[in-house]
Amino acid sequence: MTDPADGSAGLAQLRTIADYQFGAGAGAALFPPEESVTIKRTSSGRPQQVHGEDGRIVSFGIDGRFTLGLDGGRRLDAALEEPAYRVVVDDESEPFVRDEKNVFAKFVVDVGPEIRPGDEVLVTHERGEVLAVGRAELDAAAIADFDTGMAVTVREGAPGDR
């Protein structure tokens, strides 16, 4: 068995990390055993990015946490109970979020209660569609309560007409 600390993490270890970061079942959702994924590694062999057939699932940071790609966000959306790790917006914000503009607290209609600053989150429309993935800048209570401030730094938006 490989030790993820030495940079040689395989899919089993990446699944464990995903379960720790996003909750039970996230690892299997991101990296299904029946699907072939590509792990791009640094020159030292450390996992850097994991790609599936539809694009980047995750990047693996030097801090040992994942940053989500849009494909990874869609996979988590299908696996996690709502509103876990989701920041929900309405029609007014949808075109801006798709265009990779950040989400401001005043436009959020719902938020997963476990979200902390720095967490990877899905930005979804209130009808359930994944609009983007990004990093929470505030905790869930602040996102729900504040009328000002940035809630999510959007990393990758979903193009329209999907």
Side-chain angles (χ1 to χ4, degrees):
M1 186 167 184
T2 58
D3 177 12
D6 72 4
S8 59
L11 281 177
Q13 289 83 7
L14 294 178
R15 285 185 192 107
T16 300
I17 294 165
D19 285 345
Y20 177 77
Q21 185 173 342
F22 298 108
L30 287 172
F31 318 115
E34 65 278 358
E35 182 184 341
S36 177
V37 297
T38 304
I39 302 175
K40 293 186 178 187
R41 298 179 181 272
T42 63
S43 59
S44 66
R46 183 181 69 77
Q48 191 172 33
Q49 291 187 349
V50 181
H51 290 260
E53 293 176 8
D54 295 328
R56 184 173 67 88
I57 301 170
V58 295
S59 294
F60 188 59
I62 57 172
D63 62 354
R65 292 172 41 118
F66 291 120
T67 57
L68 291 170
L70 195 54
D71 187 33
R74 288 185 177 121
R75 290 169 185 233
L76 279 183
D77 182 56
L80 298 177
E81 277 191 41
E82 290 186 29
Y85 291 96
R86 290 173 182 83
V87 175
V88 182
V89 299
D90 60 13
D91 289 333
E92 188 175 357
S93 295
E94 179 182 7
F96 299 102
V97 173
R98 285 187 185 279
D99 199 29
E100 300 180 355
K101 304 291 190 263
N102 297 327
V103 177
F104 288 87
K106 72 188 251 178
F107 298 107
V108 173
V109 296
D110 195 13
V111 62
E114 73 290 326
I115 294 175
R116 300 166 302 193
D119 279 352
E120 286 294 303
V121 296
L122 315 174
V123 180
T124 62
H125 190 278
E126 57 191 347
R127 67 179 170 263
E129 182 182 2
V130 176
L131 302 177
V133 292
R135 183 185 70 240
E137 297 298 329
L138 302 167
D139 65 29
I143 292 172
D145 291 343
F146 288 4
D147 288 331
T148 62
M150 190 181 341
V152 179
T153 300
V154 172
R155 180 177 312 99
E156 187 177 353
D161 304 319
R162 280 202 124 181

